[in-house]
Amino acid sequence: MNNVVKSSLLSSLLCEFNEAVHSDIVNQLCRKKCTDFTRKRNMNFYSLIYYFIFRNKKTTNSELTWFYSSICEFEKRISKQALNKAVRKMNPNVFIYLIHIFSKIYYSSQLPKDYRGYYLIAEDGTYVEIPYNVYNAYDFQFCLGKHVHDIFDVKKIQSKAGGLYDVMNGLFVDFSMKPAPYSETPLAFEHLYRTQKIFEGKKVIYLADRYYGSAEIISHLEYLNYNYIIRGKKYFYKKQVALMKSDDEWINVEIDKKWLKRFRFSNEAIQIREEKPVIRIRVIKKIFKYINQKGEECKEELIYFTNLDSQQFSTEEILQLYSMRWDIEVSYKTLKTTLELERFISEDGDAARNCVYGKVLFHNIAGIIRKELNKKISRDTTDGKQYVTNITQLQEMVYETNFLYSIINGKKTQIKQKIENIVKMINKIKVPVRPNRHYKRWGRVIVNPPSYRFRLDGRNNPKVKSFKHVLITVAP
């Protein structure tokens, strides 16, 4: 499929998403009261949605100036007080709906990429810091600990957030924000239930870290006919794992009635285990070597659980597929650093949710473009090196080339032209992938310490410490 067709498909997708934003369903969902967003105002419901998606300045006033200038309605610019009044009317649930709609539109197009016919979806959670006030402390709650005994000990308010992320296509298929004590396991089940129709009839490989290897999650994935690759904890199925004679073989785990009582989130998982009490899991072991902060060489045994056939997927391929899960970690880093996920316009809890969901939607828009550019880069590269799109520069181009005006007015031809212009700039926004990027970065011996704090690219030089009469780099 050539670049012209790709840009046309992307522009059609964004125009269809714009139609959904302007729809009556969204107008109803965004209201907290039936009287909200019923009058014609300078900041109507769809303008406010796009305002949250395309926020990119340091202050609210500069954001309002940029927003109304971008949509060529500067004379309608409202004050910061009027914005706060409109923000308090916005129901955050509308953004969850829009994230789902964006995903449905995307997967119904010809754009999605797969790995040997499989969609690779990764689950992971994170914490998002919320503005501090008493109302948010009750709303988002807090985790009791050594230094926190009651609400008066709370110094920082956080929300447990989590997303189901397509690593091949660069978008969050689902995203949620819950109170801080909320567990990642029920959050994962919510995402699996809500996205079930999107992936119905499709082949899926579910990628997850150590906190998702429970028998209930694996049983629910069997019910959905999903394949999975999950990194396991050392005590998961330890009796069966201890009997392994090689580093890659299948184990049988019997779920008895006592174990089944601990299944709390999925009736389907309970039913499938009642009918078939034995889970068959392929276990892969790998020795990971690294240098600790003391400069000592250490070894750690990593365990992975999967149900992919050993005849079709080798041990090395399973490990390679799991390493692709790292893209969701990169996305969280991009959201928190480049997109400033935790910079809010109000202390109100719902306003904070709207800010976060809006950033996720913008990440999805830029993410699907990034994956298309990466595919073109890998296809056109002839020097044997690996390159990827600089996500920070790409996001800046989406902001500065005024995608907002074209999308909010549904101008398909303009969107297509802007995407093609970005493709022409692809060689100026690509960056080389550093070799051995997943191997040790710290514990390296250097001859001389850096004499200044920043390198030429503005980044911090690595910290160093003295060890056995030499200087060794340490993690920041």
Side-chain angles (χ1 to χ4, degrees):
M1 193 178 299
N2 58 39
N3 297 329
V4 176
V5 177
K6 287 287 187 180
S7 60
S8 179
L9 291 174
L10 285 168
S11 60
S12 297
L13 182 151
L14 295 175
C15 285
E16 190 172 349
F17 175 70
N18 176 62
E19 292 177 3
V21 173
H22 284 75
S23 66
D24 293 334
I25 296 176
V26 171
N27 190 3
Q28 294 290 334
L29 287 175
C30 70
R31 302 177 186 177
K32 288 185 177 180
K33 299 178 182 178
C34 60
T35 55
D36 292 338
F37 298 112
T38 54
R39 297 181 180 180
K40 187 177 181 180
R41 297 184 181 275
N42 291 342
M43 180 62 85
N44 47 39
F45 74 95
Y46 61 84
S47 296
L48 188 57
I49 289 172
Y50 279 116
Y51 173 81
F52 279 115
I53 294 175
F54 283 87
R55 289 178 57 233
N56 66 95
K57 300 299 180 183
K58 299 297 182 182
T59 65
T60 302
N61 279 325
S62 59
E63 282 177 344
L64 284 169
T65 300
W66 179 88
F67 178 80
Y68 282 98
S69 298
S70 297
I71 62 176
C72 298
E73 294 181 357
F74 185 72
E75 70 281 359
K76 295 183 179 180
R77 183 194 184 281
I78 62 175
S79 65
K80 186 168 64 173
Q81 291 74 17
L83 173 68
N84 290 331
K85 186 176 180 180
V87 165
R88 287 194 292 269
K89 300 177 182 178
M90 179 66 69
N91 190 331
N93 292 331
V94 70
F95 284 97
I96 299 176
Y97 172 79
L98 288 173
I99 291 172
H100 293 164
I101 287 296
F102 187 89
S103 300
K104 288 179 181 179
I105 296 172
Y106 182 77
Y107 287 108
S108 63
S109 69
Q110 301 178 38
L111 289 167
K113 293 167 283 298
D114 56 56
Y115 179 88
R116 291 174 53 183
Y118 291 88
Y119 289 107
L120 306 182
I121 58 173
E123 176 75 44
D124 200 11
T126 187
Y127 281 102
V128 176
E129 188 171 343
I130 303 299
Y132 182 89
N133 61 39
V134 176
Y135 299 104
N136 288 341
Y138 280 106
D139 188 4
F140 292 94
Q141 303 175 22
F142 51 90
C143 297
L144 298 176
K146 181 179 179 181
H147 302 289
V148 180
H149 304 285
D150 52 42
I151 193 172
F152 300 103
D153 296 328
V154 175
K155 305 297 183 185
K156 181 171 64 174
I157 300 173
Q158 292 179 316
S159 169
K160 172 57 73 65
L164 192 64
Y165 179 78
D166 188 331
V167 300
M168 293 292 294
N169 295 293
L171 75 157
F172 282 96
V173 187
D174 196 11
F175 195 89
S176 301
M177 292 180 66
K178 299 291 183 180
Y182 207 81
S183 173
E184 291 183 347
T185 301
L187 203 60
F189 277 106
E190 288 185 22
H191 296 157
L192 289 171
Y193 275 118
R194 291 203 298 244
T195 59
Q196 183 175 344
K197 290 186 178 181
I198 294 178
F199 295 108
E200 189 173 7
K202 298 179 175 66
K203 295 195 295 183
V204 172
I205 298 178
Y206 184 83
L207 308 174
D209 204 353
R210 291 173 291 180
Y211 302 99
Y212 300 93
S214 68
E216 186 175 8
I217 287 183
I218 290 176
S219 300
H220 189 77
L221 293 172
E222 285 186 15
Y223 161 75
L224 295 173
N225 292 320
Y226 288 3
N227 293 101
Y228 58 85
I229 304 174
I230 302 174
R231 183 181 167 190
K233 291 185 176 181
K234 293 182 179 180
Y235 58 84
F236 280 9
Y237 322 118
K238 60 182 180 180
K239 293 181 180 179
Q240 293 82 359
V241 172
L243 298 174
M244 291 175 57
K245 298 179 180 180
S246 67
D247 292 338
D248 186 352
E249 61 181 74
W250 293 84
I251 63 171
N252 294 319
V253 180
E254 184 175 357
I255 306 299
D256 55 22
K257 293 183 179 179
K258 185 177 180 180
W259 197 337
L260 198 61
K261 288 181 180 179
R262 300 205 297 265
F263 285 27
R264 297 179 295 166
F265 307 109
S266 171
N267 293 326
E268 293 83 359
I270 296 174
Q271 182 179 355
I272 198 172
R273 289 284 75 92
E274 287 176 343
E275 297 174 355
K276 188 180 177 182
V278 178
I279 307 177
R280 194 163 182 262
I281 304 173
R282 181 183 172 190
V283 181
I284 296 174
K285 297 180 181 179
K286 176 181 172 58
I287 301 298
F288 175 67
K289 298 180 181 180
Y290 63 96
I291 305 295
N292 64 14
Q293 292 189 354
K294 296 181 179 180
E296 301 168 342
E297 185 174 341
C298 301
K299 295 181 180 179
E300 182 181 356
E301 184 180 64
L302 306 181
I303 301 175
Y304 303 90
F305 303 136
T306 183
N307 61 348
L308 290 169
D309 187 12
S310 55
Q311 300 295 325
Q312 297 180 2
F313 293 87
S314 64
T315 303
E316 293 73 18
E317 191 172 10
I318 295 294
L319 298 176
Q320 178 189 356
L321 283 172
Y322 180 79
S323 69
M324 297 173 69
R325 188 202 69 86
W326 189 251
D327 202 43
I328 189 174
E329 305 282 3
V330 175
S331 293
Y332 282 135
K333 179 181 181 297
T334 302
L335 282 167
K336 290 187 176 183
T337 56
T338 307
L339 294 179
E340 296 184 320
L341 185 72
E342 297 169 322
R343 183 175 60 79
F344 304 103
I345 62 174
S346 171
E347 290 186 352
D348 181 72
D350 283 346
R353 291 183 176 93
N354 291 332
C355 290
V356 171
Y357 290 136
K359 295 290 187 182
V360 171
L361 269 170
F362 179 83
H363 177 278
N364 285 356
I365 293 172
I368 59 175
I369 298 174
R370 175 174 68 100
K371 291 296 182 177
E372 293 296 337
L373 295 178
N374 286 348
K375 185 177 180 181
K376 176 174 171 52
I377 290 172
S378 62
R379 186 174 61 246
D380 296 345
T381 300
T382 57
D383 59 2
K385 297 180 180 180
Q386 184 180 356
Y387 295 89
V388 293
T389 306
N390 186 312
I391 183 62
T392 303
Q393 293 182 12
L394 174 62
Q395 290 169 351
E396 286 296 325
M397 293 180 71
V398 173
Y399 286 132
E400 300 304 327
T401 54
N402 205 358
F403 261 81
L404 174 58
Y405 176 80
S406 302
I407 295 175
I408 199 171
N409 291 291
K411 295 185 178 295
K412 182 178 177 180
T413 304
Q414 286 188 11
I415 298 173
K416 179 174 176 293
Q417 185 178 4
K418 292 179 187 299
I419 294 173
E420 290 173 355
N421 290 337
I422 291 177
V423 173
K424 293 176 182 178
M425 297 286 291
I426 192 170
N427 289 320
K428 296 185 178 181
I429 63 172
K430 71 179 183 181
V431 290
V433 177
R434 177 169 52 83
N436 300 327
R437 64 182 301 180
H438 295 298
Y439 292 89
K440 69 173 186 177
R441 303 180 183 185
W442 322 116
R444 298 179 183 272
V445 176
I446 63 174
V447 179
N448 296 313
S451 58
Y452 45 87
R453 179 179 176 184
F454 296 103
R455 301 198 299 267
L456 291 177
D457 59 1
R459 298 184 182 182
N460 282 320
N461 278 299
K463 295 181 179 179
V464 296
K465 72 172 185 177
S466 178
F467 177 75
K468 293 183 179 180
H469 309 291
V470 296
L471 292 176
I472 296 179
T473 59
V474 296

